[in-house]
Amino acid sequence: VVLFVRHRREPTKSASPPAATGRTAKIDLKIPTTTPTQREWARDVDPEGPLRLEGQVLDEGGAGVGSAVVWLSSAPPQSVKTQEDGTFVFDKIVGREYELTASAGERIGGPVTYRLTEKSDPVVIRIAAGAKVAVVVTGDDSQPIENATVKLADFGDRTATTGKDGTATLTPVRPGWVGVDVSAPGYAPASSFGQAGSSGSTATIRVKLHKGAMVSGRVVDEAGKGIAKAKIVAGDNSWMGLGHSGEAMTDAKGEFSFAALAPGSVILSAEDGEHAPTRSLPVTIADRPVTGITITMKEGGSIAGKVVDT
């Protein structure tokens, strides 16, 4: 059984926790029959911290690898290049658990899970030959789509662009399950995943993009004032809203716009870390732009509690 957890950031304003009732709540957990197409896990931006994360990238023989790119799962993610001896440093970060990956040419390593504290030893990332993924992008008519952007669905920034045959190749990738995010002008973005074999092999992932329609609107508070820097997520109209078809951010006037969303029924979720997270009514998208959507966010509070054993 796979349990998908959808996380929302805690509002910053505080309020008194609700009084305990002394009753035991029963929760009926329904397992969705579909797999989410993209992770929906949000983390607040990391503040500047007092710690220094040091490490080294080594090859199969234990030698340091220079000019390797190391990615750190901070928020937002950041990267550095290794020195000639394979050493690297991330400065001014907070102490918590991170994941690190490294790549150099056709070699890749990680992710390595590492907990940073004041007494942590340097982390070691070992790299070896990776696999390749060929992503074939087509439209509703099954014809290849040129100039589509294909991104590896991890915390790095590895992207490729499809050619006339609608194919883009990502390399190196770690053997195992691989996710990709695909976008193209005039089409709704899509995500897919496949399995890469052993080192040196090439896996193929096929992605079909659907023609999309522009969707726009405004996020306001209860007084009708626009809310800036609110994140809008377009999800499917399921009971859990696990499908994910795009993100947008409101401007200074509270306005947002999606260049293209696929036809169907979607729910727009808004959150800004200050107001209570809000979901719109279902929005039906066909072959024409949908405009004038208004999402009203109410003042938010917080819920506090305690988990105890028997």
Side-chain angles (χ1 to χ4, degrees), residues 42-63:
R43 181 187 289 275
D44 291 328
V45 173
D46 290 335
E48 183 176 298
L51 302 182
R52 176 183 176 97
L53 191 157
E54 299 179 345
Q56 187 177 24
V57 177
L58 304 178
D59 63 16
E60 299 95 318

Side-chain angles (χ1 to χ4, degrees), residues 168-280:
T169 301
L170 292 168
T171 183
V173 297
R174 295 182 300 276
W177 288 106
V178 178
V180 294
D181 300 323
V182 183
S183 60
Y187 293 86
S191 301
S192 188
F193 61 92
Q195 192 166 21
S198 59
S199 299
S201 65
T202 301
T204 300
I205 299 177
R206 301 183 183 277
V207 181
K208 178 170 286 189
L209 297 184
H210 302 286
K211 281 287 187 179
M214 188 269 288
V215 175
S216 63
R218 189 165 182 252
V219 178
V220 299
D221 61 18
E222 294 176 278
K225 181 181 178 182
I227 298 176
K229 297 182 179 180
K231 184 175 77 170
I232 314 299
V233 176
D236 63 32
N237 187 16
S238 66
W239 74 275
M240 273 187 90
L242 287 172
H244 186 298
S245 54
E247 293 184 2
M249 191 73 69
T250 58
D251 61 16
K253 297 180 180 179
E255 297 176 349
F256 66 89
S257 178
F258 292 91
L261 292 179
S265 182
V266 300
I267 296 288
L268 301 180
S269 301
E271 62 175 76
D272 68 345
E274 180 177 349
H275 297 80
T278 304
R279 302 181 72 199
S280 72

Side-chain angles (χ1 to χ4, degrees), residues 73-216:
S73 65
S74 53
Q78 53 185 306
S79 65
V80 295
K81 279 192 174 183
T82 59
Q83 302 296 319
E84 291 184 3
D85 61 353
T87 58
F88 63 88
V89 172
F90 290 97
D91 271 320
K92 299 180 179 179
I93 58 177
V94 295
R96 63 172 174 86
E97 189 170 272
Y98 294 95
E99 285 189 346
L100 298 99
T101 63
S103 62
E106 299 297 316
R107 296 174 294 176
I108 191 168
V112 173
T113 301
Y114 177 80
R115 178 168 290 278
L116 177 65
T117 68
E118 294 180 352
K119 299 180 180 179
S120 297
D121 293 325
V123 62
V124 174
I125 307 174
R126 298 185 180 274
I127 64 174
K132 296 180 181 180
V133 171
V135 183
V136 182
V137 183
T138 58
D140 293 304
D141 55 2
S142 297
Q143 294 301 306
I145 297 176
E146 186 178 3
N147 293 325
T149 299
V150 179
K151 182 182 183 299
L152 200 62
D154 61 12
F155 52 84
D157 65 349
R158 278 179 291 166
T159 61
T161 303
T162 57
K164 291 183 179 180
D165 61 352
T167 301
T169 301
L170 292 168
T171 183
V173 297
R174 295 182 300 276
W177 288 106
V178 178
V180 294
D181 300 323
V182 183
S183 60
Y187 293 86
S191 301
S192 188
F193 61 92
Q195 192 166 21
S198 59
S199 299
S201 65
T202 301
T204 300
I205 299 177
R206 301 183 183 277
V207 181
K208 178 170 286 189
L209 297 184
H210 302 286
K211 281 287 187 179
M214 188 269 288
V215 175
S216 63

